[in-house]
């Protein structure tokens, strides 16, 4: 008989925690999962992926409506909805996600505990109930930490002011501003720039780097920057703030370069850090790194603490909900079997929900050039695809990068409507072993017509035409 209350204690019910808890439970382990918030789902469900993408989808629908002259004529003009009205579209989705996940835990007999978890010693945690009451101590042989992350907040920015927001609190905005300054042009900043621009808000996007989203292929970045500017977003690159001064009606952002930008509200979107403050990690000898994250090995075990695992945003890159869920499953597999043959595939697709959206997988041209790999590219521009013409979503392109001698696919990059869906076709072929990973798959396969997937055939033929021997 075990001397512990549980085989596994999981902290956090976001994707990483859910993946670990469900896998361990289904393998016969006695599992408790602890959630600090009042509902399950983690930041992904309540403050990040789900609400922001639901909001973006609602804005996209308004844009599509206003772009269609027949809709406008039938309804007597353009459609105008406020930020709170559009954000309400996320409420039903969040409830469905929470109800579904509650059902997972109930059906599988996991002990779901609400409260703040913290270590007492190597095998003991205490759970402090959110509504007060008696603190409960529980023990386990193994722990999985998946508490997620929160926006980094510099001390010299007044986040208590009603016109200053971060990427969590922006969801509490109860009016549509006329203008906004977004500080940070990473994934979150770029997505919110697209959302607010779609609402007709004047957007200033402050980029501390020389280009947007430098990890993407340069051509895709150029397309995004060009499209954002065409839509009215003012992008200010290589800038840093000197001071951020709010008053009752506006916020003045003073930049080190001397520029002053005055807008109705300010959104900080520059960095995130792990939720480790409440965990009392010092009690088990764990110290976060300089980025506020936890270092783990290939099995997601914390360095020097093999009985403690960590997954998701808590450990940093790639900081994706999709990857966190798999990290949790793989960690639990290692807990159950002592090994895990499966590993996350090397090429994890990015999904950036700007307007239009971006998705990519594999190498960029810059990376291949630096590695001296011979490659060629093939393109399909959405304005030439029948399906895009029918839907009216003609802005965008699909780019395939392939080895110019073996025709092996090395990277796929997409900018346009449904990019995050379209990318998976390329990902599937790239993941094939040996000669099965080939550009010829797309030229020898019949695609439904009209579809967006047809872009692969068009891009493959375009690429072959660039080779002298084809």
């Amino acid at each position: 008989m075990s001397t512990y209350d549980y085989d596994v204690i999981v902290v956090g019910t976001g994707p990483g925690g859910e993946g670990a808890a469900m896998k361990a439970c289904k393998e016969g382990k006695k599992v408790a999962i602890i959630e600090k918030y009042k509902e399950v789902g983690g930041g992904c469900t309540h403050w990040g992926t789900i609400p922001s993408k639901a909001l973006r989808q609602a804005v996209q629908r308004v844009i599509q409506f206003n772009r269609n002259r027949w809709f406008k004529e039938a309804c007597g003009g353009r459609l105008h909805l406020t930020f709170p009205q559009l954000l309400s579209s996320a409420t039903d989705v969040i409830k469905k996600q929470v109800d579904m996940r509650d059902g997972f835990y109930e059906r599988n007999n996991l002990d779901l505990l609400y409260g703040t978890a913290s270590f007492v010693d190597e095998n003991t945690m205490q759970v402090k109930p959110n509504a007060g009451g008696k603190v409960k101590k529980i023990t386990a042989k193994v722990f999985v930490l998946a508490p997620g992350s929160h926006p980094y907040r510099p001390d010299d920015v007044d986040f208590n002011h009603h016109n200053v927001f971060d990427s969590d609190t922006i969801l509490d905005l109860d009016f549509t501003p006329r203008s906004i300054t977004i500080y940070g042009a990473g994934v979150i900043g770029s997505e919110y720039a697209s959302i607010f621009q779609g609402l007709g808000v004047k957007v200033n996007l402050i980029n501390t780097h020389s280009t947007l989203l430098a990890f993407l292929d340069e051509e895709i970045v150029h397309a995004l920057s060009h499209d954002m500017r065409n839509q009215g977003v003012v992008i200010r690159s290589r800038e840093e703030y000197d001071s951020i001064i709010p008053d009752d009606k506006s916020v003045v952002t003073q930049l080190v370069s001397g520029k002053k930008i005055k807008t109705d509200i300010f959104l900080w979107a520059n960095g995130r850090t792990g939720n480790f403050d409440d965990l009392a990690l010092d009690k088990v000898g764990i110290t976060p790194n300089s980025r506020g994250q936890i270092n783990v090995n290939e099995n997601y075990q914390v360095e020097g603490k093999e009985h403690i695992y960590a997954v998701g945003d808590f450990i940093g890159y790639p900081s994706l909900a999709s990857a966190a869920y798999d990290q949790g499953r793989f960690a639990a597999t290692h807990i159950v079997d002592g090994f895990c043959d499966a590993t996350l595939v090397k090429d994890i697709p990015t999904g950036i929900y700007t307007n239009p959206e971006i998705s990519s997988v594999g190498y960029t041209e810059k990376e291949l050039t630096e590695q001296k790999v011979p490659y060629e590219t093939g393109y399909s521009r959405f304005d030439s695809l029948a399906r895009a013409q029918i839907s009216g979503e003609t802005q965008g392109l699909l780019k395939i990068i392939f080895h110019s001698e073996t025709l092996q696919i090395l990277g796929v990059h997409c900018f346009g409507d449904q990019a995050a869906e379209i990318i998976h076709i390329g990902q599937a072929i790239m993941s094939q072993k040996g000669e099965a990973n080939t550009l010829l798959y797309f030229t020898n396969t019949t695609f439904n017509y009209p579809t967006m997937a047809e872009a692969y055939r068009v891009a493959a033929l375009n690429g072959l035409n660039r080779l002298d021997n084809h």
Side-chain angles (χ1 to χ4, degrees):
M1 296 292 291
S2 174
T3 58
Y4 302 107
D5 299 321
Y6 296 96
D7 297 315
V8 184
I9 291 176
V10 180
V11 178
T13 63
E18 179 185 311
M22 296 305 300
K23 175 63 176 177
C25 179
K26 288 182 181 295
E27 294 293 338
K29 297 298 183 182
K30 185 178 181 182
V31 180
I33 188 165
I34 306 168
E35 175 53 54
K36 181 178 180 180
Y37 188 57
K38 63 182 180 180
E39 294 177 322
V40 299
C44 169
T45 299
H46 297 283
W47 307 284
T49 303
I50 296 301
S52 66
K53 275 52 176 182
L55 173 62
R56 183 257 186 193
Q57 181 72 13
V59 172
Q60 181 83 350
R61 288 279 190 264
V62 172
I63 293 172
Q64 290 170 337
F65 180 96
N66 289 334
R67 196 164 51 204
N68 190 307
R69 66 182 180 89
W70 294 284
F71 288 171
K72 288 190 293 183
E73 288 175 5
C75 297
R78 293 172 62 85
L79 180 63
H80 295 282
L81 294 174
T82 66
F83 183 86
Q85 285 175 322
L86 291 166
L87 187 57
S88 66
S89 65
T91 303
D92 289 342
V93 181
I94 292 172
K95 184 179 185 305
K96 289 176 182 176
Q97 290 285 308
V98 169
D99 290 347
M100 177 179 69
R101 286 176 165 77
D102 275 334
F104 292 162
Y105 299 128
E106 184 177 347
R107 288 197 303 274
N108 288 278
N109 297 315
L110 277 79
D111 286 353
L112 174 57
L113 308 175
Y114 287 97
T116 301
S118 58
F119 278 105
V120 175
D121 58 41
E122 292 284 344
N123 293 98
T124 309
M125 269 192 162
Q126 65 178 19
V127 183
K128 182 179 180 181
N130 296 332
K134 186 177 180 180
V135 174
K136 182 177 182 179
K137 288 186 178 181
I138 52 177
T139 60
K141 183 179 180 179
V142 179
F143 297 85
V144 180
L145 306 180
S149 65
H150 62 274
Y152 166 71
R153 287 185 165 191
D155 294 334
D156 57 350
V157 178
D158 182 9
F159 288 96
N160 291 320
H161 195 278
H162 61 272
N163 287 330
V164 178
F165 301 86
D166 62 27
S167 56
D168 284 355
T169 60
I170 193 65
L171 298 172
D172 297 324
L173 181 65
D174 59 3
F175 66 98
T176 304
R178 294 167 300 174
S179 57
I180 182 174
T181 296
I182 300 176
Y183 190 85
V187 173
I188 294 173
S190 296
E191 288 181 347
Y192 272 107
S194 283
I195 287 170
F196 279 102
Q197 184 282 324
L199 287 171
V201 177
K202 294 179 181 178
V203 177
N204 284 274
L205 182 60
I206 311 300
N207 182 19
T208 58
H209 303 286
S210 58
T211 61
L212 297 178
L213 305 171
F215 60 90
L216 292 175
D217 188 81
E218 290 179 354
E219 202 162 6
I220 299 297
V221 172
H222 176 75
L224 173 66
S225 301
H226 181 266
D227 196 66
M228 276 190 167
R229 288 191 170 99
N230 272 353
Q231 294 179 42
V233 175
V234 177
I235 303 172
R236 304 179 188 274
S237 296
R238 295 181 296 276
E239 297 276 14
E240 293 187 5
Y241 79 94
D242 182 59
S243 63
I244 297 164
I245 304 172
D247 59 31
D248 287 344
K249 295 183 178 179
S250 63
V251 181
V252 175
T253 304
Q254 173 76 56
L255 300 177
V256 172
S257 64
K259 301 182 184 71
K260 284 186 177 181
I261 304 170
K262 183 177 182 179
T263 51
D264 289 351
I265 65 172
F266 175 93
L267 170 59
W268 178 272
N270 199 39
R272 297 182 69 83
T273 188
N275 292 329
F276 57 83
D277 286 347
D278 297 322
L279 283 169
L281 295 177
D282 58 302
K283 297 289 181 66
V284 288
I286 297 175
T287 303
N289 61 31
S290 60
R291 300 184 306 278
Q293 297 155 353
I294 302 299
N295 295 326
V296 296
N297 63 20
E298 68 276 10
N299 298 314
Y300 303 103
Q301 294 166 295
V302 178
E303 291 182 352
K305 299 288 177 180
E306 284 71 21
H307 73 297
I308 301 176
Y309 294 71
V311 298
D313 284 9
F314 201 51
I315 64 173
Y317 178 85
S319 296
L320 296 169
S322 52
Y325 187 84
D326 287 333
Q327 289 170 354
R329 287 195 304 112
F330 294 168
T333 300
H334 191 266
I335 291 169
V336 172
D337 299 329
F339 64 92
C340 183
D341 288 336
T343 57
L344 278 177
V345 294
K346 175 178 174 289
D347 296 311
I348 299 173
T350 61
I352 303 169
Y353 294 86
T354 47
N355 182 30
E357 64 194 44
I358 296 170
S359 195
S360 65
V361 64
Y363 290 105
T364 65
E365 285 198 61
K366 180 180 178 181
E367 290 170 336
L368 293 172
T369 299
E370 290 172 349
Q371 295 175 31
K372 296 182 171 58
V373 175
Y375 71 87
E376 190 50 86
T377 57
Y379 295 87
S380 174
R381 303 197 179 277
F382 284 10
D383 58 8
S384 66
L385 298 176
R387 183 61 179 265
Q389 294 166 359
I390 291 168
S391 68
E393 299 292 344
T394 56
Q395 177 68 13
L397 62 89
L398 175 70
K399 174 181 180 179
I400 302 176
I401 305 176
F402 60 96
H403 197 288
S404 55
E405 297 169 1
T406 67
L407 302 186
Q408 177 187 23
I409 299 168
L410 304 172
V412 182
H413 307 275
C414 190
F415 173 67
D417 186 49
Q418 302 180 60
E421 299 282 355
I422 294 168
I423 202 71
H424 292 129
I425 300 171
Q427 179 194 27
I429 303 306
M430 273 185 61
S431 68
Q432 302 303 303
K433 304 297 183 183
E435 294 181 357
N437 174 5
T438 173
L439 187 74
L440 296 180
Y441 171 85
F442 299 121
T443 60
N444 298 337
T445 296
T446 302
F447 289 88
N448 279 332
Y449 175 85
T451 59
M452 296 305 297
E454 184 196 7
Y456 279 97
R457 179 180 59 81
V458 176
L461 291 171
N462 177 265
L464 288 177
N465 286 336
R466 296 170 185 269
L467 298 178
D468 292 337
N469 58 338
H470 284 78

